Amino acid sequence: MEKLPKITDSNLLVGLETGDDAAVYKLGQDQALIFTLDFFPPVVDDPFSFGAVAAANSFSDVYAMGGKPLLALNIVGFPVDLPKDILTEILRGGYTKAQEAGCLIAGGHTVDDKEPKYGLAVVGLVTPGKQVTNAGARAGDSLILTKPLGTGIITTAGKQGVAEPQILDEAVRIMSILNADASSAMVKVGVNAATDVTGFGLIGHLRGMMVGSHTQARINLSRVPVIPGVWPLIEQGVVPGGTHRNLSGEGQEVQWHVDITLQQKLLLCDAQTSGGLLISVPETKADALLRELEANGVEGSVVIGEVVGAGTQPIEVLP
Ligand code: CO
Ligand code: CO
């Protein structure tokens, strides 16, 4: 996109420049569209679960901006020689999540593909000016994460056949959770910035937010929530390629405390699917947000660190 002409339009409230995953377009005084799409190959074997996770992930960019999904279209790649009931199950998983989100799936498009792929293009609504972006974090904010890390490592273990079934089930359960309740909590309390944690891992998405906001973050590894069972897998060397790429990319721009091990760095860089919201909230409102998240049933949200003024490196990680 960098090589293409830059698009500017007074109604385009959020475009490419803040590094956000969704575009926001103002329709009128009261309404703006949020528009986003996401699709990927199966992260788990079960087609229904894959569909549900992919849909939850696609809605996530709307929720991260404080909006509500309204309408979606299926994006499907599917091999001609695979049984069609597998595709039906993928779509059923997606429809189930869409129903939960109160979003209509109104059609879509399928192409022949060597490997299945599924996701949604989603249109959501937000009040113009109320959209939450990557770019509003301020020094002194608390950083809150609403889902534990480790889904990349666990799904890789699943593909390699080395994941305990209950660990895999827990990862699927966590990936399937809509970020709807986390989003409504943050909208109610009022926050400075938010993003969802997906393929670039916690470090990559936090870095995007800090660069977009011209701030720096200091996080504590010990505070970061992790899905139980992840550490032994990392120690066995079960780490997805995307996670290694994240560490050798964005991970190089992090000021790592000397006590942080390679395994710990990999966890913080783990490529997530349908991860939680990473929210930058004024410190004075952090407790209120945690209470609201809990009241909304968002389990295990925690403060993982804080935003400090602009420094030499966008992120510092302490033990
Ligand atoms: Co996305
Ligand atoms: Co996103």
Side-chain angles (χ1 to χ4, degrees), residues 21 61 196 198:
D21 294 335
D61 285 325
D196 60 332
T198 53

Side-chain angles (χ1 to χ4, degrees), residues 187-207:
V187 167
K188 185 167 172 193
V189 171
V191 305
N192 287 337
T195 189
D196 60 332
V197 178
T198 53
F200 294 114
L202 173 65
I203 291 295
H205 292 281
L206 176 58
R207 179 184 172 273

Side-chain angles (χ1 to χ4, degrees), residues 161-207:
V162 296
E164 298 288 338
Q166 59 277 30
I167 295 175
L168 203 53
D169 287 351
E170 177 65 357
V172 168
R173 187 186 70 80
I174 289 168
M175 291 187 289
S176 304
I177 296 172
L178 291 176
N179 281 324
D181 294 331
S183 178
S184 60
M186 81 172 182
V187 167
K188 185 167 172 193
V189 171
V191 305
N192 287 337
T195 189
D196 60 332
V197 178
T198 53
F200 294 114
L202 173 65
I203 291 295
H205 292 281
L206 176 58
R207 179 184 172 273

Side-chain angles (χ1 to χ4, degrees), residues 4-317:
L4 299 177
K6 216 178 145 198
I7 293 173
T8 50
D9 186 303
S10 60
N11 289 322
L12 188 64
L13 304 181
V14 177
L16 277 174
E17 58 291 324
T18 54
D20 281 284
D21 294 335
V24 180
Y25 185 89
K26 185 176 167 184
L27 295 174
Q29 285 316 309
D30 308 328
Q31 278 188 328
L33 284 183
I34 303 176
F35 197 13
T36 181
L37 80 84
D38 251 315
F39 64 106
F40 44 70
V43 286
V44 287
D45 280 343
D46 177 56
F48 180 90
S49 298
F50 167 49
V53 167
N57 183 75
S58 298
F59 294 133
S60 192
D61 285 325
V62 173
Y63 291 130
M65 303 206 83
K68 289 221 183 340
L70 181 72
L71 201 60
L73 297 172
N74 290 315
I75 303 162
V76 184
F78 200 75
V80 274
D81 50 356
L82 267 190
K84 288 288 175 290
D85 47 340
I86 295 179
L87 178 54
T88 306
E89 278 301 284
I90 295 172
L91 296 177
R92 211 167 59 80
Y95 274 71
T96 305
K97 274 295 139 184
Q99 236 168 4
E100 190 186 329
C103 177
L104 303 175
I105 297 182
H109 188 75
T110 305
V111 294
D112 178 26
D113 202 340
K114 281 204 276 295
E115 185 183 26
K117 290 182 191 69
Y118 178 61
L120 297 169
V122 186
V123 167
L125 289 178
V126 69
T127 306
K130 296 279 184 200
Q131 70 273 4
V132 183
T133 73
N134 244 335
R138 291 192 201 124
D141 282 1
S142 298
L143 292 165
I144 290 176
L145 181 63
T146 68
K147 285 189 191 181
L149 299 184
T151 57
I153 286 152
I154 295 174
T155 54
T156 299
K159 285 174 192 163
Q160 294 178 1
V162 296
E164 298 288 338
Q166 59 277 30
I167 295 175
L168 203 53
D169 287 351
E170 177 65 357
V172 168
R173 187 186 70 80
I174 289 168
M175 291 187 289
S176 304
I177 296 172
L178 291 176
N179 281 324
D181 294 331
S183 178
S184 60
M186 81 172 182
V187 167
K188 185 167 172 193
V189 171
V191 305
N192 287 337
T195 189
D196 60 332
V197 178
T198 53
F200 294 114
L202 173 65
I203 291 295
H205 292 281
L206 176 58
R207 179 184 172 273
M209 184 189 277
M210 292 305 105
V211 170
S213 303
H214 308 289
T215 49
Q216 193 183 8
R218 191 184 294 134
I219 62 168
N220 295 86
L221 172 79
S222 58
R223 296 206 248 177
V224 174
V226 184
I227 303 171
V230 168
W231 286 118
L233 292 171
I234 305 183
E235 271 147 32
Q236 288 167 44
V238 180
V239 177
T243 299
H244 281 294
R245 281 193 294 280
N246 288 342
L247 180 57
S248 55
E250 271 101 349
Q252 299 308 305
E253 292 174 54
V254 173
Q255 197 182 325
W256 301 101
H257 187 278
V258 289
D259 292 343
I260 307 284
T261 65
L262 174 64
Q263 282 87 352
Q264 291 167 335
K265 291 178 188 176
L266 284 165
L267 176 84
L268 296 184
C269 289
D270 186 35
Q272 303 297 283
T273 298
S274 192
L277 298 186
L278 173 66
I279 304 168
S280 190
V281 58
E283 204 231 317
T284 50
K285 289 185 181 178
D287 282 337
L289 178 56
L290 289 173
R291 275 197 303 274
E292 198 60 37
L293 286 164
E294 205 184 321
N296 272 6
V298 184
E299 18 161 336
S301 302
V302 286
V303 175
I304 60 162
E306 59 274 327
V307 179
V308 293
T312 48
Q313 273 166 315
I315 303 172
E316 183 184 356
V317 179

